[in-house]
Structures are given as structure tokens and as C-alpha cells.
């Protein structure tokens, strides 16, 4: 064999594994063909007694635009340029979720899961991967309450408002530790830990989950027993990386029949600096029946000539009557000057209306309304604070806020039960050692890239300015305050772990590596992925497919060696 013939032979052998890979790769088919095959797979494999066809909404369906947009809360991701899913599936039965996973995996269609749409970065309905579809869980919203065991099974598509309403139907003295916004979907909220104004008393939402049902990467429905304790640990704080959550079994908690709320504001001219300085010492350490959120924002103060000032608003829930609250506040936090006229006694379920700035006397059926306030353009970021801030530090913060003007900070105090639960009890790690959590907010109504960049930069600048005052090594963040600026995964391959670690340690601290190990075991192909999902380790040994490819590569290498030896020995020596 001549040198040129030998070279061509080696070229063909070198291309062989690549050709084999392409011939079996989903990318070898066109996107439209893949989408059509996916659609047929859904229809052909759904349970005949519960056909999925009525739950499929393609881009040509009249229902598609309204379903897509109904749960979009951030207008940044509702433009003509925003990538659209090839279809939306709105399952009305668990079997629809099973077949959606099986067919999406078979035809390599990327899946996004939505249960409420409050994700700040729109990742439940937007993807950089194509093609993709949205699995919208809003029809799976059944709530079954068992007062004999003080538990409830809640499907992922239910809203928090629906949960609170159904609990109130059964009891005046039970509640559930979760968010104060009633239109938030249970699936995403609890999956990312979830928190609310009961957390100092009872922990976060996921601390009160005692069982769960999910669809895994193989399309199986698993509960706590069948999924095992490792996976059950992981889904309480990072569930979106491991499967489709169908339902959570939650533990109801006790609340008094009468609780008290208040909302008091003070500007810098009304001694806000001194009050805030004392709040930071009081709020994480006071009786765990009391939760006092602090909101800092720039306003115009008419009493001082309409000039800009910083306003501190203290909004609180107390699990008791106003008399006991006033006694506690006078003893522990007299700087606020709380008066009896500031206090409102009501039922726990009505405090949700108060925190949402609704009329507290509204019929509580309003909690069943799933339509949120009018969507706006928004950006959110987060931080954790471990040490009190000095007076000089606060003075600097006021100056920066007055400079930026349109950036707001929400401070949510920890302590109480949050300081008692170990950081490794669930995937959610932010426990003891944290005084409070910060949410940075910018909202705007102006359209256009210039306005968007302006407001994004406001959040970035305030976040950057707060660096000396917040957690370090790593700088920690809260998963449900999704922030893609912390880092994203750009690929589904070797770089996954290194890319995922950048944001992963900020969201999960020392729990990150355990989450990676569990992910690699239960979803090695990284099917349940998104821009900030838990990565799987590359080329894990327990993947049969990879073992087959490894064997094939070994065979090809042996063929190279044999062919080379044959060519070498048969060529003329000279």
C-alpha cells in the first residue's frame, strides 16, 4: 500500500467514530423533524383513557399566546425577540408529565418547567437551547388537607394563595411557612426552599416538607420511599435539577387565632439611621414569634421641601395579640416608637392581604385569584449579612441609595428557628450565622435597551457597593432570587462542573458537591438542566451508554493498530 492510500485509509478510520456519532445524534435531524417526532411520541404514548392531545398547545394553537403570557411576570422576557417554545404542555394528569419526560428525552427536546412564573430571570419559559417546550403545571393544583395528621398534599401547580385559603377553610389556627405573595406557584417556591414571615418560628417551606412526588429522568413517579433519602434531601432546596415535582406533602404549623401586623415608616429626618442601626441587632434576636422586615427606598419628603430622602419601612407579623406585641417592642425595640394605633389584630390568613397591600377586609376568596399584579420590567439580586453594619456604614449606604435613587433593598431577618436547623439538614444551606437576607430590587415601565441597561446597572451598582458588608468566600445568594449574573452553564459537557461551581457554591455553599454527586447518580445525562442547574460530573462510570462508547473507542483504536501493523509489514522495505 502506497503512502497516499495509507493516508486516505487512516483518514476514513479517523472519521468513522465522528460519522457514527452524527448518524445517531439528535442534531442530525432538523429541528422541525425532531419537533414533529416529539409531538407524535406524545400522542402515541399517552394513556388512551387520559389522552394528552388536549394538553398540547403548539405555536399554531389559538390558546398558545394567552397560555404563554399569562404567567410571565417580568416584561424583559416577553418581547418579540424572546425565544418561544415549540409547544406548551399543560398536564391535567400525572401520566401527561411522565410521557412528556420520556418523549423529550427520546427526541432531545429541551424542557422548561413552570408552576407560577415568578422566576425573576424567566427561566421557566425561556431557553437558549432550541428546540424547547414548556411544561406548565398550573392545572395540577389539587390540595388535600388532613387535619387529623395536620398535613396536606399540595400539587405543584397550586398557588400559595390557594394553599392558604384551603387551610383556612379547615382551621383558624393552622398555617404554612411560605411566601407572602399569593400568586407564587408552589412547585418553584418550595423547590428552591421558599421562605416567608413564619420562618423565624418554623423555618423555610422545604423544612416542613415530609414527603414528595416527582417524575424522574426515566419517567417514573417516585415518592420519598422510592426515591431514597439522598434525592429527598436534594429536592428540598434544589428540586428543579432532579425531576419534575408533582406534589409536596407538607406539615401544617400552629398559629394563634389572633395575630398582629404593623407597618411603620421613618425617613432620615425622622431618625431612621438610629432606628435601622438598632433594628439590625433586634430583628434576628427578638422573640421568634415576631418577624420584622425592613424595606429601604428613596422617596420625596414633602415635610422637608420635597427633597430626596431614604425611607425605612418596618413591616411585621407577630404571632400574638397587640398587647403582648407592644410590651415586647417597648422592651426590645423602643427606638421605633410603636403605638397601639399602628397595630392591627386579625387572622393569620388575612395577614397575606396586608402584606400584599390589599384591603385586609377583602373577602379571602381573593387569594384564589391567580392573576398577579400587572407585570413590569424587573431585576433582582441577593446577599446574606453576617455582621452588624456600623453607623458610618449606614451613612454611606444612604448616600449611595440617594445617588442611585431607583434601587430598593428588602431585609429579611433570620435567627430563631433558622439558627437551629443545621446547614446540611436539606440542600438549602443558609442557616446559623446569618443576620438577614437582602433582596435588591429595580422595577421599571420604560421599554427599550437603554432603559433596561440603566436599571440593570442600578441593581449592579448597589450590589457592588454592599460588598464590604455581606458574606464572603463565597459571597452567598438565595436560589429563588434567581440571578444569572452570578454565572451560567454554557454547555452540556466537560465544562459543566466548573461553570456550575461558580454559581453553585453561592447558592448552596458546602452542600454543592453533595448535590453534584446526587445529580450524577440520578440524572447523569443532565436531562433536567437549565442555566443554573446542578451539573453532573462528566463521563460518570455508571452510565451504560458511555461504557458502550468507551468499548467502541477501544475497538477502533485496536483496529488502527492492526491496520497500521498490516500496512507496515506489507509495504516494500527499501
Amino acid at each position: 500500500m502506497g503512502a497516499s492510500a495509507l493516508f486516505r485509509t487512516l483518514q476514513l478510520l479517523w472519521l468513522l467514530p465522528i460519522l457514527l456519532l452524527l448518524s445517531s445524534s439528535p442534531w442530525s435531524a432538523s429541528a422541525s423533524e425532531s419537533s414533529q417526532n416529539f409531538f407524535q411520541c406524545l400522542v402515541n404514548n399517552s394513556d388512551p383513557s387520559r389522552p394528552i392531545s388536549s394538553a398540547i398547545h403548539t405555536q399554531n394553537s389559538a390558546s398558545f399566546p394567552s397560555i404563554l403570557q399569562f404567567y410571565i411576570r417580568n416584561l424583559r422576557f416577553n418581547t418579540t425577540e424572546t425565544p418561544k417554545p415549540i409547544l406548551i404542555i399543560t398536564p391535567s394528569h400525572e401520566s401527561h408529565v411522565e410521557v412528556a419526560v420520556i418523549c423529550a428525552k427520546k427526541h432531545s427536546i429541551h424542557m422548561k418547567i413552570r408552576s407560577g412564573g415568578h422566576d425573576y430571570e424567566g427561566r421557566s419559559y425561556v431557553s437558549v437551547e432550541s428546540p424547547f417546550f414548556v411544561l406548565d403545571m398550573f392545572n395540577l393544583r389539587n390540595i388535600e388537607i388532613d387535619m387529623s395528621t395536620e398535613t396536606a398534599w399540595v400539587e405543584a401547580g397550586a398557588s400559595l394563595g390557594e394553599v392558604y385559603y384551603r387551610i383556612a377553610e379547615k382551621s383558624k389556627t393552622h398555617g404554612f411557612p411560605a411566601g407572602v405573595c399569593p400568586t407564587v406557584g408552589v412547585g418553584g417556591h418550595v423547590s428552591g426552599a421558599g421562605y416567608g414571615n413564619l420562618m423565624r418560628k418554623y423555618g423555610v417551606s422545604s423544612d416542613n416538607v415530609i414527603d414528595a412526588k416527582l417524575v424522574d429522568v426515566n419517567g417514573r413517579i417516585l415518592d420519598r420511599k422510592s426515591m431514597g433519602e439522598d434525592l429527598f434531601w436534594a429536592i428540598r432546596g434544589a428540586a428543579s435539577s432532579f425531576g419534575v415535582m408533582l406534589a409536596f406533602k407538607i406539615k401544617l404549623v400552629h398559629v394563634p387565632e389572633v395575630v398582629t401586623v404593623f407597618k411603620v415608616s421613618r425617613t432620615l429626618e425622622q431618625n431612621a439611621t438610629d432606628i435601622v442601626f438598632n433594628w439590625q441587632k433586634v430583628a434576628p434576636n427578638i422573640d421568634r414569634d415576631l418577624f420584622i422586615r425592613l424595606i429601604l427606598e428613596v422617596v420625596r419628603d414633602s415635610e422637608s421641601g420635597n427633597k430626596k430622602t431614604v425611607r425605612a419601612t418596618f413591616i411585621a407579623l407577630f404571632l400574638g395579640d397587640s398587647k403582648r406585641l407592644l410590651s415586647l417592642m417597648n422592651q426590645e425595640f423602643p427606638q421605633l416608637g410603636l403605638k397601639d394605633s399602628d397595630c392591627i389584630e386579625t387572622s393569620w390568613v388575612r395577614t397575606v392581604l396586608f402584606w400584599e397591600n390589599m384591603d385586609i377586609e377583602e373577602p379571602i376568596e381573593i387569594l384564589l385569584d391567580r392573576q398577579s399584579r400587572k407585570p413590569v420590567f424587573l431585576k433582582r439580586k441577593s446577599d446574606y449579612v453576617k455582621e452588624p453594619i456600623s453607623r458610618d456604614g449606614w451613612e454611606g449606604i444612604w448616600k449611595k441609595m440617594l445617588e442611585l435613587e431607583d434601587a430598593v433593598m428588602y431585609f429579611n431577618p433570620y435567627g430563631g428557628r433558622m439558627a437551629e436547623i443545621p446547614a446540611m439538614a436539606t440542600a438549602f444551606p443558609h442557616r446559623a450565622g446569618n443576620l438577614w437576607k437582602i433582596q435588591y430590587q429595580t422595577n421599571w415601565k420604560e421599554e427599550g435597551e437603554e432603559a433596561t441597561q440603566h436599571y440593570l446597572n442600578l441593581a449592579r451598582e448597589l450590589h457592588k457597593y454592599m460588598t464590604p458588608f455581606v458574606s464572603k468566600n463565597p459571597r452567598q445568594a438565595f436560589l429563588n432570587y434567581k440571578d444569572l449574573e452570578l454565572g451560567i452553564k454554557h454547555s452540556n459537557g466537560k465544562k459543566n462542573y466548573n461553570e456550575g461551581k461558580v454559581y453553585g457554591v453561592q447558592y448552596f455553599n458546602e452542600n454543592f458537591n453533595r448535590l453534584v454527586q446526587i445529580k450524577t447518580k440520578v440524572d447523569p445525562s443532565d436531562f433536567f438542566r437549565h442555566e443554573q442547574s446542578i451539573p453532573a460530573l462528566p463521563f460518570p462510570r455508571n452510565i451504560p451508554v458511555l461504557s458502550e462508547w468507551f468499548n467502541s473507542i477501544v475497538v477502533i483504536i485496536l483496529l488502527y493498530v492492526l491496520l497500521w501493523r498490516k500496512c507496515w509489514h506489507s509495504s516494500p522495505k527499501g
Side-chain angles (χ1 to χ4, degrees):
M1 179 182 291
S4 60
L6 175 60
F7 180 73
R8 285 195 297 272
T9 302
L10 290 175
Q11 270 191 319
L12 289 173
L13 282 172
W14 175 252
L15 288 172
L16 180 60
I18 299 174
L19 293 171
L20 288 171
L21 177 62
L22 289 174
S23 67
S24 61
S25 168
W27 292 285
S28 62
S30 68
S32 59
E33 181 183 352
S34 183
S35 302
Q36 183 61 32
N37 291 339
F38 174 54
F39 180 89
Q40 289 300 322
C41 180
L42 293 170
V43 174
N44 295 341
N45 289 279
S46 69
D47 185 341
S49 65
R50 299 183 181 88
I52 197 174
S53 53
S54 61
I56 301 175
H57 311 267
T58 67
Q59 292 185 351
N60 296 324
S61 304
S63 55
F64 183 89
S66 60
I67 291 175
L68 178 62
Q69 294 182 33
F70 189 83
Y71 292 105
I72 293 180
R73 313 302 192 195
N74 189 345
L75 292 179
R76 288 172 57 205
F77 308 110
N78 192 19
T79 69
T80 54
E81 294 80 19
T82 302
K84 304 297 188 294
I86 58 171
L87 55 84
I88 303 171
I89 300 176
T90 56
S92 56
H93 189 266
E94 293 176 346
S95 64
H96 296 166
V97 180
E98 292 178 280
V99 73
V101 170
I102 291 170
C103 290
K105 184 180 178 184
K106 180 178 180 180
H107 294 285
S108 299
I109 307 294
H110 188 46
M111 179 169 65
K112 291 288 187 174
I113 308 165
R114 184 166 73 171
S115 65
H118 277 255
D119 58 322
Y120 292 145
E121 298 279 15
R123 295 305 98 185
S124 62
Y125 50 89
V126 177
S127 177
V128 295
E129 295 191 43
S130 181
F132 76 99
F133 76 102
V134 172
L135 186 69
D136 202 322
M137 302 291 285
F138 69 84
N139 282 327
L140 294 176
R141 56 213 271 192
N142 188 48
I143 301 168
E144 296 180 0
I145 296 175
D146 183 352
M147 291 310 303
S148 65
T149 59
E150 298 182 307
T151 62
W153 272 104
V154 181
E155 288 190 320
S159 69
L160 295 183
E162 289 170 332
V163 174
Y164 300 153
Y165 180 84
R166 298 305 174 196
I167 293 173
E169 280 186 319
K170 300 286 187 178
S171 171
K172 295 180 180 179
T173 58
H174 286 82
F176 181 66
V180 297
C181 183
T183 57
V184 168
V186 167
H189 185 74
V190 179
S191 292
Y195 83 97
N197 51 26
L198 288 177
M199 70 176 181
R200 299 191 67 250
K201 179 76 171 183
Y202 293 111
V204 296
S205 303
S206 56
D207 293 329
N208 295 276
V209 170
I210 57 177
D211 203 344
K213 293 173 67 177
L214 66 78
V215 175
D216 76 353
V217 69
N218 298 309
R220 302 173 301 179
I221 296 178
L222 306 178
D223 60 9
R224 179 174 183 173
K225 182 178 180 180
S226 55
M227 76 175 71
E229 288 302 304
D230 273 352
L231 184 51
F232 184 65
W233 176 88
I235 64 172
R236 288 174 292 162
S240 63
S241 297
F242 296 93
V244 181
M245 298 309 306
L246 295 175
F248 296 97
K249 186 177 184 180
I250 62 174
K251 178 174 57 179
L252 306 184
V253 300
H254 291 269
V255 295
E257 191 165 343
V258 174
V259 302
T260 307
V261 291
F262 69 78
K263 185 176 183 180
V264 175
S265 296
R266 300 285 187 265
T267 64
L268 295 182
E269 292 72 21
Q270 296 169 322
N271 201 29
T273 302
D274 185 58
I275 299 170
V276 169
F277 181 75
N278 282 277
W279 169 89
Q280 67 180 347
K281 301 175 182 178
V282 171
N285 298 303
I286 203 166
D287 191 309
R288 66 185 62 196
D289 285 344
L290 180 57
F291 179 89
I292 312 174
R293 169 183 280 181
L294 168 63
I295 304 172
L296 299 178
E297 58 193 329
V298 175
V299 297
R300 295 281 176 176
D301 183 15
S302 56
E303 293 184 8
S304 56
N306 205 33
K307 74 171 186 178
K308 291 192 299 183
T309 187
V310 175
R311 180 175 67 191
T313 299
F314 304 84
I315 179 170
L317 167 69
F318 178 64
L319 300 176
D321 60 31
S322 59
K323 182 178 179 181
R324 187 161 74 92
L325 171 61
L326 285 166
S327 175
L328 180 64
M329 290 291 287
N330 288 334
Q331 180 180 343
E332 302 287 342
F333 195 16
Q335 295 83 6
L336 185 60
L338 186 70
K339 304 187 297 290
D340 183 61
S341 57
D342 298 320
C343 302
I344 301 172
E345 292 186 341
T346 187
S347 63
W348 177 78
V349 71
R350 287 193 175 277
T351 68
V352 181
L353 306 182
F354 176 82
W355 281 70
E356 266 291 276
N357 294 313
M358 299 179 186
D359 183 348
I360 203 168
E361 298 302 324
E362 283 266 7
I364 62 169
E365 282 72 20
I366 197 172
L367 295 176
L368 301 177
D369 184 1
R370 295 173 67 92
Q371 182 62 58
S372 181
R373 287 170 289 182
K374 189 175 181 180
V376 295
F377 299 92
L378 62 87
K379 176 61 183 176
R380 302 289 187 264
K381 298 179 81 67
S382 64
D383 261 321
Y384 282 90
V385 177
K386 297 180 178 293
E387 299 290 340
I389 299 172
S390 68
R391 289 182 186 274
D392 287 344
W394 286 113
E395 294 288 353
I397 292 170
W398 306 149
K399 184 178 179 180
K400 189 63 178 180
M401 291 190 71
L402 288 168
E403 174 193 323
L404 300 176
E405 191 168 347
D406 291 317
V408 180
M409 287 193 284
Y410 278 57
F411 296 71
N412 296 287
Y414 270 44
R417 181 64 180 143
M418 292 298 292
E420 298 169 349
I421 302 172
M424 296 183 181
T426 68
F428 175 75
H430 308 294
R431 309 290 191 171
N434 292 299
L435 297 179
W436 65 81
K437 173 175 57 186
I438 305 176
Q439 182 187 98
Y440 304 88
Q441 291 191 7
T442 53
N443 297 337
W444 65 99
K445 297 179 181 179
E446 302 97 314
E447 296 183 6
E449 184 62 23
E450 184 177 345
T452 295
Q453 289 305 315
H454 169 71
Y455 286 98
L456 290 178
N457 286 333
L458 294 183
R460 292 165 183 160
E461 279 196 53
L462 187 55
H463 183 261
K464 181 180 179 181
Y465 182 84
M466 293 296 291
T467 302
F469 309 114
V470 302
S471 59
K472 300 171 179 64
N473 302 318
R475 185 171 185 170
Q476 298 170 20
F478 179 46
L479 180 66
N480 274 0
Y481 292 170
K482 188 78 71 180
D483 180 9
L484 295 187
E485 293 177 350
L486 299 180
I488 61 173
K489 288 196 305 181
H490 293 89
S491 60
N492 183 24
K494 293 181 180 180
K495 296 181 180 179
N496 261 1
Y497 177 79
N498 290 333
E499 290 178 343
K501 187 175 182 179
V502 173
Y503 57 81
V505 295
Q506 296 178 73
Y507 287 139
F508 300 107
N509 297 0
E510 295 181 2
N511 289 344
F512 173 70
N513 281 331
R514 182 180 176 188
L515 286 167
V516 171
Q517 292 170 0
I518 297 170
K519 172 73 171 182
T520 305
K521 179 180 178 181
V522 304
D523 182 19
S525 63
D526 200 18
F527 174 76
F528 293 110
R529 65 186 181 275
H530 51 78
E531 288 79 358
Q532 288 190 334
S533 58
I534 301 297
L537 292 172
F539 309 117
R541 295 178 181 177
N542 60 334
I543 307 178
V545 173
L546 287 181
S547 298
E548 292 170 10
W549 273 107
F550 179 79
N551 292 338
S552 299
I553 291 169
V554 170
V555 170
I556 291 168
I557 291 172
L558 290 174
L559 285 172
Y560 286 167
V561 173
L562 291 172
L563 183 60
W564 177 265
R565 290 184 65 184
K566 182 177 180 181
C567 294
W568 177 260
H569 289 296
S570 61
S571 62
K573 307 292 190 295

